[in-house]
């Protein structure tokens, strides 16, 4: 009975890891759609999001079944509760990639981004993909040290987001209000994507150690 239970828990973890990979891939395609004004890629991201949403619902359902039928305690209970929260985090990451793709689609055939901020979003997109891959690795390895290091990539994303605002606030900005709104929203989408990856790392640390890490813990562990 317990062997079957742990097999189900391992399958749930593998599913969550696959979802992280899909979310990272979605943000990669959404970024390319944004930078290249590629309508086909944007549409692909929008269509593919249904798969991530369906997997999130299935993962939550599997976790609740384990709670109801197995009555887990201690570490097993932590793992299942954290899995429910992680499923929501990953689904949100996919939704943020969806929002990026929708802006690219709405502005097509024009580019949504002024050329001077393309470099920021190319780098933010690269970091988002790395964060998706890192979250996937952390989920599958359950390594708290690797989980703590995700915070470094989030710091880099935060730095880019702050620098982006210096461009928007510059008196030389000449692209109008609509472009400023798009850039502001897009920057926030990438920042939040990174934040959810950090939350996944926190939840893995909680699964393994039973402790909720704060920012100082993450900084000193890495």
């Amino acid at each position: 009975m317990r062997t079957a239970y742990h097999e189900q828990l391992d399958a749930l973890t593998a599913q969550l890891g696959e979802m992280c990979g899909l979310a990272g891939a979605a943000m990669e395609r959404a970024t390319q759609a944004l930078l290249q004004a590629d309508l086909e890629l944007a549409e692909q991201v929008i269509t593919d999001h249904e798969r991530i949403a369906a997997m999130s619902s299935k993962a939550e359902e599997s976790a609740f079944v384990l709670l109801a039928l197995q009555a887990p305690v201690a570490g097993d209970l932590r793992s299942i509760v954290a899995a429910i929260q992680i499923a929501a985090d990953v689904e949100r990451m996919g939704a943020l990639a969806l929002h990026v793709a929708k802006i690219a689609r709405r502005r097509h055939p024009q580019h949504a981004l002024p050329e001077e901020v393309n470099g920021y979003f190319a780098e933010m997109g690269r970091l988002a993909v790395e964060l998706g891959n890192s979250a996937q690795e952390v989920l599958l390895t359950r390594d708290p040290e690797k989980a703590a290091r995700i915070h470094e990539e989030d710091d880099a994303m935060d730095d880019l987001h702050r620098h982006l605002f210096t461009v928007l606030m510059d008196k030389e900005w000449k692209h109008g209000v609509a472009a400023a709104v798009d850039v502001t929203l897009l920057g926030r989408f990438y920042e939040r994507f990174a934040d959810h990856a950090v939350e996944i790392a926190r939840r893995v640390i909680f699964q393994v150690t039973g402790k909720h890490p704060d920012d100082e813990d993450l900084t000193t562990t890495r």
Side-chain angles (χ1 to χ4, degrees):
M1 189 74 169
R2 298 304 292 175
T3 299
Y5 164 70
H6 283 290
E7 287 176 353
Q8 290 174 299
L9 192 56
D10 288 344
L12 176 59
T13 299
Q15 185 175 14
L16 293 172
E18 182 183 358
M19 288 170 60
C20 279
L22 290 173
M27 188 57 96
E28 183 175 27
R29 286 192 289 270
T31 301
Q32 290 304 310
L34 185 67
L35 295 173
Q36 300 170 14
D38 189 321
L39 181 60
E40 184 177 346
L41 270 179
E43 294 286 6
Q44 182 182 351
V45 173
I46 293 166
T47 300
D48 288 351
H49 179 66
E50 294 179 5
R51 181 182 177 193
I52 297 176
M55 289 180 70
S56 177
S57 296
K58 184 178 179 182
E60 288 184 0
E61 181 181 345
S62 297
F64 282 121
V65 167
L66 286 172
L67 279 175
L69 298 183
Q70 301 293 343
V73 296
D76 289 343
L77 179 60
R78 287 200 308 269
S79 293
I80 296 174
V81 171
I84 294 170
Q85 297 169 321
I86 288 169
D89 282 315
V90 183
E91 195 281 330
R92 188 59 189 155
M93 290 165 73
L96 290 162
L98 174 69
H99 294 334
V100 173
K102 284 185 174 180
I103 288 182
R105 182 178 67 174
R106 186 169 67 244
R107 296 301 181 194
H108 186 269
Q110 280 74 40
H111 286 75
L113 297 174
E115 187 175 350
E116 66 200 78
V117 298
N118 278 350
Y120 288 93
F121 284 95
E123 181 63 10
M124 291 170 88
R126 184 191 68 78
L127 285 171
V129 174
E130 285 189 1
L131 282 159
N133 291 337
S134 295
Q136 181 181 40
E137 182 181 4
V138 162
L139 274 168
L140 297 178
T141 63
R142 292 170 57 86
D143 185 331
E145 292 187 3
K146 288 182 180 178
R149 287 197 292 272
I150 284 183
H151 202 271
E152 295 175 357
E153 296 169 62
D154 180 53
D155 286 344
M157 184 73 84
D158 288 341
D159 287 342
L160 283 166
H161 190 237
R162 282 192 294 270
H163 291 158
L164 187 60
F165 269 95
T166 67
V167 176
L168 286 171
M169 299 303 292
D170 194 300
K171 62 182 180 180
E172 298 298 323
W173 179 264
K174 57 183 182 297
H175 305 288
V177 174
V181 170
D182 280 347
V183 170
T184 300
L185 286 173
L186 288 162
R188 181 62 173 161
F189 296 155
Y190 283 91
E191 182 196 32
R192 289 301 298 148
F193 186 98
D195 288 345
H196 282 289
V198 172
E199 283 304 310
I200 290 170
R202 291 178 190 275
R203 300 190 202 289
V204 169
I205 292 172
F206 173 66
Q207 283 180 321
V208 175
T209 68
K211 297 179 180 179
H212 287 286
D214 55 25
D215 288 338
E216 184 177 352
D217 292 330
L218 289 170
T219 302
T220 55
T221 304
R222 69 187 184 213

